[in-house]
Amino acid sequence: MFSSYDGLCGIGELAERAGVSVKTVRFYSDNGLLPEASRSVGGHRRYGPDSLGRLRMIRSLRTLDLPVSTVRRILDEEDTAGGAGGALEDAVAGQLRTLGSQLTALRWREAALRSVQECPVAERPGRLRLIGTLTTPPDTAPLARFWRAWLPARMPARAVTAFLDAAVPQPPADPEPAQVLAFAGLCAMVSRPCEGDEVTQPHAHEAAGARGSAVLYAGLAEAYDLAGAEMRRGREPYAGDALDGFVDAYASAGRTADTGAFRFGLARRLAADPRIDRYWELTSELVGRRSERPEPTPGSAHDWLLAALDAQLGKAPSVR
């Protein structure tokens, strides 16, 4: 309760009690956040007993960097629905998302700076040029565009999305310097021609067509998952369920039977297919840590399965 005879207080007393400036109280009043109870004969603002609590609430919300429009929405909800509408919860969740993005950006900048600091002086200009192209937080859109252009035309959208989920690595929120360099290397790779004038597509694309490619990549995804599990156990390539699923994916896409002759032909065809090994090497660096066993990627799983096929057929591993 204020000390005046009518239970109201002036702007100076309210500001003093809330620990803010008179200018701040006036700003909130002028923007409709802090209604006046009345005006004195001399035209001075007068505030009611609830104003102190409301002003402290406004100050707390503004401390969270919430804009005036959001503060107004929260206060209106408190006045009409007792805060049951979720405006405060939504605002806090939004601020947390924004803060998380800002923290990720700062961690990437720190790791980028460390990568420059830790490299030999002669290499620093080149490293600066490489990481200087990155946005923070990093953006995977260039990688997605690369693969969309690489995939067969008119491939079903669901199959494309599933492939991109597997092929486009998500940048870690707290990267090591080597991971920043790996992601920068990926972005540089997909933004210019690689090992020739252009990145050519595997022959399987030509044989399967758009619909057949959807069948192919769905089957390959399952085979890569099975192979990845074996790779994490440290198993050498061998003929098993993963290899059978791998071969069946190609056979189903081509609408042919899985025979010994088909496996020999497939091994020759896959050995001659264009490779994007550097992409998968960088991806492995990006998704793993130096102290851990390399995390399998679709590329390394493909190599493991092709080696398993070669071993089953009694061939020397294909040179890649």
Side-chain angles (χ1 to χ4, degrees):
M1 180 67 68
F2 297 123
S3 58
S4 62
Y5 70 94
D6 58 0
L8 304 179
C9 78
I11 191 171
E13 182 181 353
L14 179 61
E16 182 179 359
R17 290 203 179 196
V20 299
S21 67
V22 170
K23 183 179 179 180
T24 297
V25 178
R26 186 178 295 113
F27 173 80
Y28 293 147
S29 293
D30 291 343
N31 280 274
L33 302 180
L34 188 65
E36 305 163 17
S38 65
R39 290 266 181 152
S40 68
V41 176
H44 299 293
R45 306 171 195 247
R46 304 284 288 169
Y47 296 91
D50 295 336
S51 297
L52 181 58
R54 188 179 182 90
L55 180 55
R56 286 171 174 165
M57 177 68 166
I58 294 170
R59 185 180 61 179
S60 297
L61 293 171
R62 291 287 287 163
T63 299
L64 298 177
D65 280 341
L66 296 178
V68 170
S69 58
T70 300
V71 173
R72 180 182 293 106
R73 186 164 61 252
I74 293 170
L75 293 174
D76 289 345
E77 190 174 89
E78 286 285 341
D79 294 339
T80 59
L88 177 59
E89 182 177 351
D90 291 344
V92 170
Q95 287 297 94
L96 285 173
R97 287 192 297 270
T98 299
L99 183 60
S101 180
Q102 292 171 347
L103 289 174
T104 298
L106 288 174
R107 294 187 187 108
W108 273 77
R109 289 176 189 170
E110 179 189 21
L113 290 170
R114 285 169 53 202
S115 75
V116 175
Q117 184 183 54
E118 295 168 2
C119 78
V121 174
E123 297 178 13
R124 287 178 180 174
R127 186 161 293 189
L128 280 170
R129 285 192 294 272
L130 178 63
I131 65 175
T133 61
L134 288 180
T135 60
T136 51
D139 185 7
T140 59
L143 308 184
R145 284 195 298 270
F146 168 80
W147 287 114
R148 287 183 184 278
W150 184 86
L151 289 170
R154 297 181 297 279
M155 188 169 162
R158 182 178 298 179
V160 172
T161 299
F163 180 87
L164 293 179
D165 287 343
V168 177
Q170 294 304 308
D174 187 10
E176 295 177 351
Q179 291 174 309
V180 172
L181 292 175
F183 190 80
L186 282 174
C187 291
M189 175 184 171
V190 302
S191 66
R192 63 175 183 264
C194 307
E195 299 179 5
D197 293 334
E198 61 181 354
V199 178
T200 55
Q201 296 177 330
H203 299 304
H205 288 188
E206 302 170 6
R211 292 290 172 182
S213 293
V215 174
L216 172 63
Y217 284 112
L220 289 179
E222 295 180 10
Y224 293 161
D225 284 343
L226 292 173
E230 298 299 327
M231 295 169 70
R232 293 185 186 95
R233 297 187 187 102
R235 295 288 301 272
E236 293 296 321
Y238 73 99
D241 291 341
L243 178 60
D244 289 343
F246 180 68
V247 174
D248 182 67
Y250 285 99
S252 297
R255 298 182 180 181
T256 188
D258 176 6
T259 64
F262 175 79
R263 293 199 175 205
F264 271 104
L266 179 64
R268 286 197 302 271
R269 179 155 53 94
L270 294 180
D273 265 343
R275 309 289 302 174
I276 313 179
D277 290 331
R278 183 57 179 160
Y279 183 95
W280 300 117
E281 291 169 4
L282 292 169
T283 297
S284 181
E285 290 184 42
L286 183 64
V287 300
R289 297 280 185 174
R290 288 182 176 178
S291 59
E292 300 172 352
R293 185 191 301 272
E295 180 65 16
T297 66
S300 61
H302 184 93
D303 288 347
W304 190 94
L305 288 162
L306 185 53
L309 180 59
D310 288 343
Q312 184 187 54
L313 298 176
K315 298 170 53 182
S318 303
V319 177
R320 293 179 290 279

